[in-house]
Amino acid sequence: MKLYDLEPVSDMSPIVGLLYSMISYNYLRLKRLIMDTDEYLYYRGPNNDLNSIAQHVRHLMVVELHWIFRLQGKPIPNEMIERYGPMYDEEGKLPLVFNMKLEDLITEYDEIQLKLKLICKQFKDEDLETQIPFENGNKATIKWGIWHIADHSRHHYSNIAFLKKLYKLSN
C-alpha cells in the first residue's frame, strides 16, 4: 500500500513549505504526464480547435512567472514578457506555440519553478497574510497566491490529460 501525503519542504517555514509542496508535487506530476508527448506536442484536437500541450505548458510557465513577481509585490519586467510571451493573446486565448522541443519547454519551466521555489524560501509563515496586488485592481494574500498556483496547474493538467486521450483515440 502506498501512502499519499503532503510533506512540507524542509528548508521553508512549515506552512509555506506545505503550500509550496503542492506546487512541487503538481509540477512533477505534470512533467511525468508530458514526457512522451514529443510527437503530438502541437496537436490541437480532431477539429484543430483546442489548446495544444505546448500552449498549456507555456501558459502555465507564464502565469507562474507573473506570480513570482506578484508575490513580491512587483510588476513583471517587460523583458520577461518579451522572452516568454503573454498569458493570453489579443483574443483572450492561449497564445499559439510553435517550433519548440518538449525538452526546451521543460528546461524553461524548470528555471521558472526554481525561481518560484527561491521566492517561497524567503517567506515566513507570518508573511502569508500579506496582501499583494492581483488582477483588475483586486488583492490576494500570499497564502492564496501560492495555493492558486498549485490549483491552476491541476486545472491545466486535466486539459493535457484529455488531449493525450483524444490523440490516442484518433491514432
Side-chain angles (χ1 to χ4, degrees), residues 26-101:
N26 288 342
Y27 181 58
L28 294 174
R29 192 170 174 240
L30 178 74
K31 281 174 68 170
R32 284 192 304 269
L33 178 67
I34 65 174
M35 279 304 180
D36 64 346
T37 61
D38 285 274
E39 69 182 72
Y40 56 99
L41 188 60
Y42 298 102
Y43 174 70
R44 297 189 60 222
N47 300 321
N48 204 36
D49 61 348
L50 301 174
N51 294 312
S52 70
I53 292 170
Q55 283 175 278
H56 284 287
V57 172
R58 174 62 85 176
H59 173 72
L60 284 167
M61 290 168 44
V62 170
V63 167
E64 290 176 24
L65 186 62
H66 278 260
W67 272 104
I68 288 168
F69 290 93
R70 188 178 284 147
L71 288 169
Q72 299 174 81
K74 299 177 182 178
I76 186 166
N78 285 334
E79 58 267 14
M80 291 293 178
I81 294 171
E82 289 171 15
R83 178 175 176 191
Y84 295 102
M87 280 191 258
Y88 301 101
D89 66 16
E90 306 80 36
E91 297 175 11
K93 297 180 179 182
L94 298 188
L96 293 173
V97 177
F98 297 106
N99 301 324
M100 282 198 77
K101 294 178 185 175

Side-chain angles (χ1 to χ4, degrees), residues 43-50 162-163 165-167 169-170:
Y43 174 70
R44 297 189 60 222
N47 300 321
N48 204 36
D49 61 348
L50 301 174
F162 177 71
L163 267 174
K165 284 183 183 178
L166 276 179
Y167 179 79
L169 287 172
S170 67

Side-chain angles (χ1 to χ4, degrees), residues 64-164:
E64 290 176 24
L65 186 62
H66 278 260
W67 272 104
I68 288 168
F69 290 93
R70 188 178 284 147
L71 288 169
Q72 299 174 81
K74 299 177 182 178
I76 186 166
N78 285 334
E79 58 267 14
M80 291 293 178
I81 294 171
E82 289 171 15
R83 178 175 176 191
Y84 295 102
M87 280 191 258
Y88 301 101
D89 66 16
E90 306 80 36
E91 297 175 11
K93 297 180 179 182
L94 298 188
L96 293 173
V97 177
F98 297 106
N99 301 324
M100 282 198 77
K101 294 178 185 175
L102 177 61
E103 179 183 331
D104 296 335
L105 274 173
I106 291 172
T107 298
E108 285 185 349
Y109 204 172
D110 283 344
E111 292 169 7
I112 289 171
Q113 281 284 307
L114 179 59
K115 289 177 186 182
L116 182 57
K117 183 176 185 177
L118 293 173
I119 293 302
C120 287
K121 279 184 177 186
Q122 294 175 15
F123 295 130
K124 303 294 177 217
D125 288 349
E126 52 271 14
D127 297 327
L128 292 172
E129 299 301 323
T130 302
Q131 294 182 10
I132 52 176
F134 190 47
E135 297 168 345
N136 303 317
N138 295 308
K139 292 187 178 268
T141 62
I142 289 173
K143 173 177 50 184
W144 185 87
I146 296 170
W147 167 84
H148 180 69
I149 294 166
D151 185 55
H152 184 246
S153 177
R154 290 188 67 85
H155 168 76
H156 287 282
Y157 177 96
S158 66
N159 295 135
I160 293 168
F162 177 71
L163 267 174
K164 283 184 75 164

